[in-house]
Amino acid sequence: MPTNKKEEIVFTLLMCSLMVVGMSTYNLVLHDHLTLSELVRGFFPGFVTALILDVFVIGALAKKITFTWIKPQQPLSTVLTISSLMVVGMVTCMSLFGILMEGSVSLPLYLHTWGLNLIVALPLQLLLVGPFSRKVLKTLQA
């Protein structure tokens, strides 16, 4: 985990950018629109939105909830709880962002999108992006 502000910034930027690329790629594949130009076109607005939500809303809320449930001496439980809460919160917000960007909003579409995103975002975060970002952070700390 980050130990200072610089590490926190690097970790957050890496985590956020990788999740946006991963989830954007997944959603473009789902809709049969995967091209480099589509991925690049959607990256910046998705990244900025995700970063703002991560830093100011979801991240703070996930940490607050986690530290009321988990003792700080339990690092694995802490990481898994924060990561899982972050995924649920970010999928909730970013699924809405995605359907708003496409211009069609309905509760059934939102719930369908939310479910499809959650089943990919959770393993993406827990198995790939999170461990990779922590490994990069440990390399920077060494």
Side-chain angles (χ1 to χ4, degrees), residues 68-87:
T68 60
W69 290 349
I70 310 274
K71 294 182 177 112
Q73 299 84 2
Q74 300 171 313
L76 182 60
S77 296
T78 301
V79 167
L80 291 175
T81 304
I82 290 173
S83 295
S84 298
L85 289 172
M86 288 287 297
V87 167

Side-chain angles (χ1 to χ4, degrees), residues 10-114:
V10 169
F11 183 74
T12 300
L13 290 173
L14 182 60
M15 187 85 75
C16 193
S17 61
L18 292 174
M19 285 301 292
V20 169
V21 167
M23 292 306 295
S24 295
T25 301
Y26 166 68
N27 277 286
L28 287 168
V29 166
L30 272 182
H31 298 289
D32 205 27
H33 290 112
L34 180 60
T35 63
L36 184 58
S37 64
E38 283 294 313
L39 189 60
V40 170
R41 185 177 68 83
F43 177 78
F44 187 72
F47 175 75
V48 169
T49 303
L51 186 62
I52 290 168
L53 287 168
D54 183 331
V55 172
F56 297 108
V57 183
I58 307 300
L61 188 57
K63 289 173 188 170
K64 183 176 182 176
I65 292 169
T66 298
F67 293 121
T68 60
W69 290 349
I70 310 274
K71 294 182 177 112
Q73 299 84 2
Q74 300 171 313
L76 182 60
S77 296
T78 301
V79 167
L80 291 175
T81 304
I82 290 173
S83 295
S84 298
L85 289 172
M86 288 287 297
V87 167
V88 171
M90 292 300 286
V91 165
T92 299
C93 295
M94 294 304 288
S95 293
L96 180 60
F97 171 79
I99 63 173
L100 286 173
M101 292 299 288
E102 291 301 311
S104 57
V105 181
S106 70
L107 185 58
L109 175 61
Y110 173 74
L111 294 174
H112 179 74
T113 301
W114 186 90

Side-chain angles (χ1 to χ4, degrees), residues 117-129:
N117 285 331
L118 185 65
I119 63 172
V120 171
L122 199 54
L124 179 64
Q125 169 60 32
L126 295 177
L127 300 175
L128 296 174
V129 172

